């Protein structure tokens, strides 16, 4: 691999037999390594985590485990003709699926799941993640190659690998729809430069549209970035016609007009997806949180600096800090960039402005809220931090190409300052700072890069030293990424491969048996759950569902009917013959005995599909008295159902389908503490080593089934 290249092609004095017919992309063929190396490193990380088939590990974690994987299943069902892309009866009694598609799985890469057998969908997700990791490296390399910011092919591969394996790209990998923006950001940035310099718009238009379509949420954030990058690039290069090689008059005004027009055109090209997402969000997501607009600083600056070090994973929970690690080499080269005489004051001021823009965005609560669509993120904060990583790596690449302009003494001073900072950080009381993984590993990296850079500046064997740096960078990135994944697993736990595949494998036979023998329209549910979105994978019409594109009215309705339903989720728990029948639940799959009210219809694999003979159809006529029922007048679902059915039948008096049983006494065990806080009874353990029990004493009036309802605004799982 040649160390030096200029990007300018010339004819050799004597063309060899192998050079005449090289394709136009041949000068960029080396970028295949920018794709391959991140893929290999990422797969090695998964191997270390015992990924299937070399263990029982999987990529499932957080919302990928609870939500996204089921949406991929639904997408696969749609492609194979089993469901609709517009509407799904598998979500909370039925609702639009296009909103889910736009919010979660609109990326073109999502369709890769259709190329795999249904039982291998987790392997398909792994392939998608690896492909996206590789493409992050490739697109960054493409940007560096086309802009000529690096004089070395090896260096281009080094920094491309660093971009593909930033802490953000590793930790947020399970939010696969976000990674599309990470992939396309370098090409969008190059497209902005081409739009300013030459008026060429196709690349910018296509990839901004693709980003907006892949995920409107991160695409919205990218729109802030492109505006900032336009002004940065124009200001930084507004000399000697560098950003106006054709000498166009009133160039800024015309460039800005073109930029605005093609940005709007990109939004228009993505309108089908954007409008679908917006329509879906109007059903309740926009009122899901009530954020505070108070102006305050969210963290100390030193906390942000710590996050640039390897092994600095803290948490993805609400108190988490930005994931901005992008290599120790970057930390060394950013000061070098600002100290190098090769870059103009204009360029440095513009670069400093962009860095300050992102730091203030992270720090100031009000600005951060705007970045997140005027809503406080539910975990996984600072979802735009990858943009700062990209920009810093671009500056670092530029600085690396001009190392000869900086003396070894200056580089030594920079590294010494970093060592002092790391040593100071060790004195701070931060739970997420590990002496080994963060402090000592950072010091080793700083010392190693200092030695290698100094040798690189004086040696004739630059390629050999660059290869050593490549190896060391790969080792650093692998170690940091593995640490991040291990810490993420410790924080929120990766799900086992078998926990997903085995659960669905045991239920699919009974579901298939029912559907093959009863082809009419009906709803069906089950009493065992892996997650609330199981129905989408099983292609069941039911009421269990969890999604950010929630329908708040449906969720509230299910709660009034007596099912477990709150915030953004609903779950089939709390079913009775009354509410099941009203909602058309014809079959209940369970291993329990439901013979008191239902009839066994089909059995397979230890499960029985119980037929509800009272189940009503999807729509049916009722008396107009139903409009007089005010749900909030009834505290308990049983009272509401009594009134609802009576009104449906046009009865003057309320028929007691559910007859109240008087509770004679409520008491607690020795190790259960009871208190009354803010209008609520609170029960909690007074000792972790003993059970905490609450006793309800009543006299059963007959031998019929008794239903129990315990209202709570703060539900916790208990055993009854």
């Amino acid at each position: 691999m040649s160390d030096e290249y200029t990007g300018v092609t010339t004819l050799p004095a004597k063309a060899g037999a192998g050079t005449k017919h090289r394709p136009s992309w041949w000068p960029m063929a080396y970028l295949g390594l920018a794709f391959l190396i991140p893929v290999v490193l990422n797969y090695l990380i998964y191997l270390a985590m015992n990924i299937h088939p070399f263990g029982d590990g999987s990529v499932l974690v957080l919302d990928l485990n609870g939500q996204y994987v089921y949406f991929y299943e639904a997408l696969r069902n749609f492609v194979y003709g089993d469901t609709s892309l517009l509407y799904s009866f598998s979500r909370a009694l039925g609702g639009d699926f296009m909103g889910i598609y736009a919010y979660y799985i609109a990326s073109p890469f999502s369709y890769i799941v259709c190329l795999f057998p249904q039982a291998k969908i987790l392997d398909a997700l792994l392939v998608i993640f690896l492909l996206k990791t590789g493409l992050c490296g490739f697109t960054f390399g493409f940007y560096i190659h086309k802009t000529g910011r690096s004089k070395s092919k090896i260096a281009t591969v080094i920094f491309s690998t660093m971009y593909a394996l930033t802490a953000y790209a590793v930790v947020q990998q399970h939010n696969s729809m976000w990674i599309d923006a990470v992939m396309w950001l370098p090409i969008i940035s190059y497209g902005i430069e081409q739009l300013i310099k030459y008026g060429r718009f196709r690349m910018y238009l296509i990839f901004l549209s693709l980003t907006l379509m892949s995920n409107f949420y991160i695409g919205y954030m990218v729109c802030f970035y492109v505006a900032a990058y336009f002004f940065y690039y124009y200001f930084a290069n507004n000399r000697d016609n560098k950003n106006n090689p054709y000498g166009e008059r009133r160039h800024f005004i015309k460039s800005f007009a073109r930029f605005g027009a093609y940005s709007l055109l990109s939004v228009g090209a993505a309108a089908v997806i954007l409008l679908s997402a917006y329509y879906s969000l109007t059903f309740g997501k926009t009122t899901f949180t009530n954020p505070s607009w108070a102006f305050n600083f969210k963290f100390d600056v030193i906390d942000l600096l710590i996050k640039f070090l390897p092994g600095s994973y803290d948490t993805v929970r609400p108190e988490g800090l930005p994931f901005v690690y992008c290599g120790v080499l970057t930390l060394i080269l950013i000061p070098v960039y600002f100290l190098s005489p090769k870059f103009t004051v204009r360029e440095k001021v513009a670069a400093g402005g962009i860095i300050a823009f992102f730091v203030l965005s992270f720090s100031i609560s009000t600005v951060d809220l705007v970045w997140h669509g005027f809503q406080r993120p539910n975990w996984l904060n600072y979802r735009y931090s990858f943009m700062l990583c990209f920009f810093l790596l671009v500056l670092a690449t530029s600085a690396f190409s001009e190392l000869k302009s900086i003396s070894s003494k200056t580089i030594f001073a920079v590294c010494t300052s970093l060592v002092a900072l790391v040593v100071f950080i060790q004195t701070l009381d931060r739970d997420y700072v590990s002496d080994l993984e963060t402090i000592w590993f950072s010091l080793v990296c700083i010392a190693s890069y200092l030695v290698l850079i100094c040798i690189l500046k004086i040696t004739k064997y630059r390629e050999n030293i660059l290869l050593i740096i490549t190896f060391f960078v790969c080792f650093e990135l692998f170690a940091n990424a593995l640490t991040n994944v291990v810490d993420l697993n410790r924080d929120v736990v990766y799900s086992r491969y078998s926990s997903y595949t085995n659960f669905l494998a045991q239920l699919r036979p009974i579901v298939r048996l029912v559907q093959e023998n009863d082809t009419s329209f009906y709803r069906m549910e089950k009493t065992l759950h892996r997650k609330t979105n199981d129905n989408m994978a099983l292609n069941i019409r039911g009421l269990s569902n969890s999604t950010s594109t929630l329908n708040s009215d449906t969720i509230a309705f299910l709660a009034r009917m007596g099912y477990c339903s709150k915030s953004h989720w609903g779950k089939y728990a709390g079913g009775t013959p009354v509410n099941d029948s009203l909602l058309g639940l014809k079959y209940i799959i369970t291993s329990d005995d439901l013979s008191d009210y239902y009839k066994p219809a089909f059995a397979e694999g230890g499960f029985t599909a119980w037929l509800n003979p009272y189940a009503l159809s999807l729509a049916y006529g009722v008396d107009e008295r139903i409009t007089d029922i005010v749900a909030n007048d009834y505290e308990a679902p049983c009272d509401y159902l009594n009134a609802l059915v009576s009104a449906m039948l046009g009865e003057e008096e309320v028929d007691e389908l559910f007859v109240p049983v008087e509770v004679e006494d409520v008491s607690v065990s020795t190790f259960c503490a009871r208190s009354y806080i803010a209008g609520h009874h609170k029960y909690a353990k007074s000792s972790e080593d003993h059970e905490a029990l609450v006793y309800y004493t009543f006299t059963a009036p007959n031998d019929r089934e008794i239903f129990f309802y315990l209202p709570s605004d703060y539900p916790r799982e208990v055993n009854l």
Side-chain angles (χ1 to χ4, degrees):
M1 182 184 294
S2 175
D3 175 45
E4 301 290 338
Y5 78 97
T6 63
V8 179
T9 304
T10 59
L11 289 174
K14 292 184 179 180
T19 62
K20 286 184 178 180
H21 304 294
R22 284 179 175 174
S24 59
W25 50 263
W26 182 255
M28 291 197 300
Y30 75 96
L31 292 181
L33 289 174
F35 175 91
L36 184 61
I37 293 175
V39 169
V40 171
L41 291 175
N42 199 17
Y43 190 65
L44 289 175
I45 293 163
Y46 280 121
L47 281 180
M49 297 295 291
N50 297 315
I51 194 72
H52 178 83
F54 301 100
D56 198 26
S58 78
V59 296
L60 298 181
V61 67
L62 278 177
D63 287 343
L64 176 65
N65 183 39
Q67 294 182 338
Y68 313 158
V69 63
Y70 298 100
F71 304 150
Y72 284 110
E73 293 265 17
L75 178 66
R76 190 183 184 280
N77 290 336
F78 156 70
V79 171
Y80 281 89
D82 297 328
T83 58
S84 167
L85 189 64
L86 300 179
Y87 196 88
S88 173
F89 276 102
S90 294
R91 58 163 299 185
L93 300 179
D96 78 289
F97 185 73
M98 193 64 184
I100 290 178
Y101 176 82
Y103 198 97
Y104 296 105
I105 53 173
S107 167
F109 291 86
S110 299
Y111 289 90
I112 290 175
V113 300
C114 305
L115 305 177
F116 285 71
Q118 188 176 50
K120 298 292 184 182
I121 194 165
L122 300 190
D123 302 280
L125 293 180
L126 175 61
V127 169
I128 292 173
F129 292 179
L130 294 176
L131 282 175
K132 290 189 176 185
T133 299
L135 282 171
C136 286
F138 178 83
T139 56
F140 187 88
F142 174 86
Y143 172 85
I144 297 301
H145 178 92
K146 298 295 286 186
T147 58
R149 289 182 178 269
S150 175
K151 298 176 181 178
S152 165
K153 294 180 179 179
I154 300 178
T156 300
V157 173
I158 289 173
F159 288 98
S160 298
T161 304
M162 291 167 68
Y163 180 68
L165 293 174
T166 60
Y168 182 98
V170 172
V171 174
Q172 306 289 15
Q173 198 167 81
H174 58 278
N175 289 298
S176 181
M177 64 280 189
W178 297 358
I179 303 300
D180 283 55
V182 184
M183 285 190 314
W184 305 136
L185 192 71
I187 299 185
I188 291 172
S189 302
Y190 179 65
I192 293 172
E193 296 181 15
Q194 293 293 292
L195 184 63
I196 292 173
K197 293 171 69 174
Y198 308 112
R200 298 171 185 167
F201 63 88
R202 290 186 181 85
M203 186 172 292
Y204 174 70
L205 175 64
I206 291 171
F207 285 94
L208 181 58
S209 301
L210 187 58
T211 300
L212 290 167
M213 285 189 285
S214 295
N215 184 246
F216 83 96
Y217 182 48
I218 305 298
Y220 157 83
M221 299 178 189
V222 170
C223 290
F224 284 100
Y225 167 85
V226 298
Y229 194 83
F230 173 87
F231 289 107
Y232 155 75
Y233 185 79
Y234 197 97
F235 178 79
N237 297 278
N238 190 26
R239 71 186 194 284
D240 303 327
N241 283 335
K242 187 175 181 180
N243 60 12
N244 183 20
Y246 296 151
E248 182 182 42
R249 299 183 63 185
R250 297 178 180 174
H251 182 249
F252 175 78
I253 295 175
K254 293 179 180 178
S255 294
F256 187 72
R258 286 191 289 264
F259 170 74
Y262 291 120
S263 297
L264 290 175
L265 193 57
S266 297
V267 174
V272 172
I273 296 297
L274 298 178
L275 291 175
S276 297
Y278 172 76
Y279 174 75
S280 183
L281 294 176
T282 61
F283 287 102
K285 172 64 174 177
T286 53
T287 59
F288 188 60
T289 63
N290 184 25
S292 169
W293 287 93
F295 183 98
N296 59 72
F297 289 96
K298 303 185 69 175
F299 50 78
D300 296 331
V301 174
I302 191 66
D303 291 315
L304 182 61
L305 292 176
I306 294 172
K307 293 292 290 181
F308 283 101
L309 299 178
S312 58
Y313 177 96
D314 55 340
T315 183
V316 292
R317 298 173 189 272
E319 64 271 20
L321 295 165
F323 288 102
V324 289
Y325 164 84
C326 46
V328 172
L329 188 57
T330 306
L331 289 180
I332 298 172
L333 292 172
I334 292 303
V336 169
Y337 175 87
F338 286 98
L339 294 171
S340 173
K342 288 291 185 178
F343 306 104
T344 66
V345 173
R346 179 183 292 271
E347 289 176 308
K348 295 173 184 177
V349 170
I354 288 291
I355 295 172
F357 169 65
F358 278 106
V359 171
L360 290 174
S361 294
F362 296 151
S363 304
I364 301 173
S365 59
T366 307
V367 180
D368 181 64
L369 206 58
V370 174
W371 273 96
H372 287 100
F374 308 97
Q375 292 286 312
R376 181 173 56 83
N378 184 26
W379 292 33
L380 303 163
N381 299 329
Y382 311 102
R383 302 176 182 187
Y384 53 95
S385 59
F386 69 92
M387 302 174 191
L388 176 60
C389 294
F390 167 75
F391 187 75
L392 292 178
L393 283 165
V394 169
L395 298 184
T397 307
S398 300
F400 193 79
S401 69
E402 300 294 346
L403 279 176
K404 291 182 179 179
S405 68
I406 291 289
S407 67
S408 297
K409 290 182 179 180
T410 301
I411 295 173
F412 181 80
V414 169
C415 291
T416 302
S417 300
L418 285 175
V419 167
L421 176 63
V422 173
V423 172
F424 171 72
I425 288 171
Q426 189 180 27
T427 66
L428 302 177
D429 184 19
R430 298 294 189 272
D431 294 337
Y432 58 91
V433 175
S434 164
D435 283 347
L436 176 62
E437 297 167 357
T438 307
I439 304 301
W440 286 105
F441 188 60
S442 296
L443 294 175
V444 169
C445 289
I446 294 170
S448 301
Y449 290 131
L450 172 61
V451 172
L452 290 170
I453 289 173
C454 290
I455 296 174
L456 184 67
K457 285 171 59 61
I458 61 175
T459 185
K460 295 180 180 179
Y461 305 102
R462 289 177 54 82
E463 287 193 11
N464 293 337
I465 300 302
L466 283 169
L467 289 174
I468 294 174
I469 293 176
T470 303
F471 173 81
F472 201 89
V473 166
C474 289
F475 174 75
E476 178 201 336
L477 294 173
F478 173 81
N480 174 74
L482 181 59
T483 300
N484 284 168
V485 172
V486 169
D487 287 342
L488 179 64
N489 181 49
R490 187 181 299 118
D491 191 14
V492 290
V493 184
Y494 277 83
S495 180
R496 290 177 292 109
Y497 187 94
S498 59
S499 74
Y500 182 82
T501 55
N502 290 357
F503 180 86
L504 294 179
Q506 67 177 337
L507 280 169
R508 281 194 167 114
I510 182 65
V511 171
R512 192 177 300 116
L513 182 64
V514 174
Q515 293 174 340
E516 288 174 352
N517 286 275
D518 188 343
T519 57
S520 62
F521 185 93
Y522 52 87
R523 290 193 173 104
M524 178 164 55
E525 265 296 352
K526 52 189 179 55
T527 60
L528 68 162
H529 307 272
R530 180 183 180 273
K531 296 293 179 181
T532 50
N533 287 313
D534 295 340
N535 291 349
M536 285 196 164
L538 296 168
N539 201 12
I540 289 176
R541 306 183 193 99
L543 58 83
S544 300
N545 186 241
S546 171
T547 171
S548 291
T549 58
L550 56 99
N551 188 321
S552 58
D553 289 340
T554 300
I555 291 170
F557 171 73
L558 289 173
R560 291 195 298 270
M561 295 290 285
Y563 299 103
C564 286
S565 184
K566 190 174 178 65
S567 72
H568 62 278
W569 60 271
K571 181 178 181 180
Y572 182 73
T576 70
V578 179
N579 52 14
D580 283 357
S581 299
L582 292 177
L583 298 183
L585 286 166
K586 187 175 182 180
Y587 295 99
I588 307 297
I589 296 175
T590 183
S591 56
D592 299 330
D593 183 2
L594 304 184
S595 57
D596 282 351
Y597 299 104
Y598 301 155
K599 301 176 181 177
F602 306 98
E604 180 74 33
F607 297 101
T608 301
W610 293 86
L611 173 66
N612 177 8
Y614 314 107
L616 299 172
S617 60
L618 180 66
Y620 45 87
V622 297
D623 192 274
E624 62 182 9
R625 293 175 186 268
I626 195 174
T627 59
D628 297 329
I629 299 296
V630 179
N632 293 333
D633 291 344
Y634 305 92
E635 181 180 357
C638 292
D639 296 330
Y640 175 67
L641 289 170
N642 283 343
L644 189 68
V645 172
S646 300
M648 285 179 172
L649 298 174
E651 301 287 347
E652 293 285 348
E653 300 294 330
V654 174
D655 291 328
E656 287 192 330
L657 298 174
F658 296 96
V659 180
V661 176
E662 182 180 356
V663 176
E664 299 166 3
D665 183 57
V666 180
S667 60
V668 298
S669 65
T670 304
F671 299 102
C672 180
R674 179 168 60 179
S675 57
Y676 191 74
I677 301 175
H680 299 274
H681 289 282
K682 178 182 178 180
Y683 298 93
K685 281 186 174 184
S686 59
S687 172
E688 289 298 324
D689 298 328
H690 298 83
E691 284 188 324
L693 305 176
V694 182
Y695 300 98
Y696 291 87
T697 304
F698 60 90
T699 301
N702 51 48
D703 61 355
R704 304 296 297 274
E705 187 171 6
I706 294 175
F707 297 93
F708 178 82
Y709 173 73
L710 185 66
S712 175
D713 285 337
Y714 308 99
R716 298 291 185 270
E717 187 171 343
V718 298
N719 294 320
L720 176 63

